[in-house]
Structures are given as structure tokens and as C-alpha cells.
Amino acid sequence: MTRTLQAASVPHTGASVRQRRTALIACCCVALLCFLAAVSLTTGEMSMSPSVALRALVGLGDAGDVLVVQQFRAPRLAAAIVAGAGLAVSGAVLQRLFRNPLASPDVVGITGGASFGSVSLLAVGASQSLIPVGALGGGLLAAVLLGVFAWRSGLAVTRLVLVGLAVQAGLAAAVNLMVVRFPAELAGAALQWTTGSLYGRTWTEVWGAAAATVVALAAVFLQYRRLAVLDLGDDTAGPLGVRVAAARLHLLLTTIALASLAAALTGPVAFVALAVPHVVQFLAGPPSPGTLALTGLTGSVLLLASDLVVQHLLPVEGLPVGVVTATVGAPWLLVLMFRQSAPVNRSSA
């Protein structure tokens, strides 16, 4: 009896250890995010102390400080936090839905579609406040194209990645064509959707995308039980009361919304959605609601840190944040592809 009780307590103890580890990592991420936010608000051509920046953030102090913080630095900071969380969570959900560690919005073409939708609205002279709507429509278009070309293959790893990269490249080419055809005054406004950038974000863009992102994140966590059951396989999920097709569709639409809203703020920032879920799983263990929240937090930290590197550490001014994330993420993609091929090589040997 004693041995049975001891054996039964082992899983519970392991789960408690993972929860404490996740909570500890989350606290570290919150502290790091606060530090990076302080650096973002205080550092630049017009440096200021944290106390001055905080007062300027709420509209107090020198008028010049208030203008710099409220209209330039704070919107860029908020956009990095919102977009990073949306990209990371969407990547984590996509990888679990497709049971494919290479599935992410930037690899399968969703962010490229969102960029196409955003630039299309700019091309017809639509208001900046409608950019999230265009991004969402473009993301849905990319998802439809991906489904048409890859679904019948059962979403195999190689097929999914190749089709997704083709969709992404085709939509990126369409965006580049529209940018070239734009009048000079519009080309600069659309240029961010070719590489990914946080430059020039305004509160008009940030508030709308942030509110919609919060709703989409809440929808993901409300559907988390279904996602966890789908992890068990379709044959098991059905008898447990989950309508598999409907659950997958709802989660996929929510994921597309998250990635598209992030792309509406930043353009097609690469590899945040691909790499962050794997880093969190390595540090915090198997998927859980806690690790999903940690994934969003880590995505915000990564994107904000990359943007600070672009602004203050690189010798070339004006580089988009996508340059840093791609530089970090490209080797990670190679590592993942080698890991995917390793079991095949061992089995063939």
C-alpha cells in the first residue's frame, strides 16, 4: 500500500515542480520585460531618466519629453509587446494543431498574407485604422491557399513547409510589386510590410490591434481544453466529447487572427512564432496553460529586445526588426529540420 501511494504521488510531484519552474521563469520574463521597457522609454537621441520618462508617459513634465515618450517611444513599445505575444502564441498553437514543429505563421504563409492584405488597403487609400481588417483578410487568404495545396497530403512536414514557403514568397512578391507601383509618398508607409518593422507605430494602429489581440488570446485560453484533448489524437478526442473538425477550425481561425493582427503592427517578422514555443518547451517542460502564457510573455521579450538591438546596438540606422529575428531564427530552423530528419536516418540505418 505504501509503495502504491508513493508511486501515485510521483506524477503529482513532477507536475508541481514543472509549475514552480514555469512560475519562476515567468517572473524572470516579467522582470526582464520591465527592464527592457524602461530602456525603450529612456534611451535614444533624447535620453532621460526613468522617473522623467514615467512622468512623461502620464503627461507630466516637459512638453518635449511628453511628446517623445507618448507619441514615439510608447506606441513602439506597446506594438512590440502585443505583436510578440500574438506571434509566439499563434506559433505554439499551430505547431500543436498540425503536430508539426516547423509550423508557424511566417513559415506557412499567414504573415505574408496579412502583409498582402495590409498593403492592399494602403493601395486603395484606406484609413490606417482599417489595416488590422486587411491583415486579417490576407491571413485568411493565405490559410485558404495553404489548405488547397497542402491539405490532401495530410500536412506532412516537408509538404507543409514547402507549400507554406511558396505561399509566403508569392504573397511577398505581390507586396513588393505594389510597393514599387506606389506613389513615392505611399511607398515609405508600405515598406515595413516587406521586412517587418516597428518604426512609426501610432496609437491609432496600436489600440485597435491590441484590443483585438487581447480578445483573440482570451479565445485561445478558453479553447485550451479542446486543444489539450486534440493533442491525444483524433481517435481519442472524439469519444471524449470534442467535435474534432469544428475544434480545429475554431482554433485555426483564432490563430490566424493572432498572427494577422501581429503582422498588421510589424509586417512579416520572421521566426518569433517558430522559435519561441520550442525555447519555452525546453525551459518549462510539456505544454500547459501556464507554458502557453509563458510563450506569449517570452515572445514579447524577444521582439522588444530585438527592436532595441536594431535601434541602439547596430551600426546601421533604420534597419527593420525582422533583420535581427531572422538572423537569430534562421539557424534555429536548420536545427529543427535536422532534428526532424534524424529519426529517419536512424531507422534507415
Side-chain angles (χ1 to χ4, degrees):
M1 177 67 70
T2 301
R3 292 180 179 178
T4 302
L5 292 175
Q6 290 176 346
S9 67
V10 171
H12 177 73
T13 302
S16 299
V17 171
R18 287 194 298 269
Q19 290 173 359
R20 288 196 295 270
R21 184 167 63 242
T22 300
L24 177 61
I25 297 172
C27 291
C28 293
C29 284
V30 169
L32 181 57
L33 186 62
C34 292
F35 170 76
L36 294 175
V39 173
S40 178
L41 292 177
T42 59
T43 307
E45 293 185 4
M46 183 185 293
S47 299
M48 60 187 73
S49 66
S51 60
V52 170
L54 185 59
R55 285 170 55 84
L57 185 61
V58 296
L60 302 176
D62 182 77
D65 293 338
V66 172
L67 176 65
V68 168
V69 171
Q70 287 192 347
Q71 301 303 319
F72 295 100
R73 295 179 181 175
R76 186 165 183 161
L77 166 64
I81 293 174
V82 171
L87 286 172
V89 172
S90 65
V93 175
L94 269 182
Q95 288 167 12
R96 293 174 66 180
L97 278 179
F98 291 159
R99 301 189 185 95
N100 184 340
L102 297 177
S104 69
D106 47 308
V107 172
V108 301
I110 293 175
T111 54
S115 299
F116 174 78
S118 299
V119 175
S120 297
L121 280 187
L122 285 177
V124 299
S127 170
Q128 289 278 349
S129 60
L130 295 177
I131 293 299
V133 178
L136 182 58
L140 289 172
L141 171 64
V144 170
L145 292 175
L146 180 67
V148 168
F149 292 117
W151 195 272
R152 291 185 179 181
S153 67
L155 296 175
V157 172
T158 304
R159 176 80 170 183
L160 178 67
V161 172
L162 290 177
V163 172
L165 290 174
V167 171
Q168 183 89 351
L171 293 171
V175 170
N176 289 330
L177 177 62
M178 285 190 286
V179 170
V180 171
R181 300 283 295 180
F182 273 176
E185 62 272 14
L186 290 179
L191 188 60
Q192 66 160 313
W193 280 283
T194 63
T195 52
S197 174
L198 288 163
Y199 176 78
R201 297 303 90 215
T202 65
W203 283 120
T204 301
E205 298 165 334
V206 172
W207 281 124
T213 298
V214 169
V215 172
L217 287 172
V220 169
F221 282 95
L222 288 174
Q223 299 176 79
Y224 187 85
R225 178 185 172 276
R226 296 177 182 176
L227 179 62
V229 174
L230 289 174
D231 286 341
L232 302 175
D234 295 353
D235 294 337
T236 303
L240 291 176
V242 173
R243 297 167 57 189
V244 174
R248 286 189 182 279
L249 179 60
H250 292 162
L251 283 164
L252 182 60
L253 291 176
T254 307
T255 301
I256 292 171
L258 274 176
S260 300
L261 291 167
L265 287 174
T266 66
V269 173
F271 294 111
V272 173
L274 175 65
V276 170
H278 294 283
V279 172
V280 171
Q281 185 173 357
F282 175 78
L283 295 175
S288 69
T291 58
L292 188 61
L294 179 60
T295 299
L297 187 59
T298 306
S300 297
V301 170
L302 175 60
L303 189 56
L304 180 55
S306 299
D307 190 46
L308 290 175
V309 170
V310 165
Q311 292 184 72
H312 307 300
L313 296 183
L314 296 183
V316 180
E317 295 184 2
L319 286 177
V321 68
V323 170
V324 175
T325 59
T327 302
V328 174
W332 185 260
L333 178 60
L334 292 175
V335 169
L336 286 179
M337 295 188 72
F338 280 126
R339 289 180 61 184
Q340 284 295 304
S341 63
V344 177
N345 293 338
R346 286 195 299 266
S347 62
S348 62

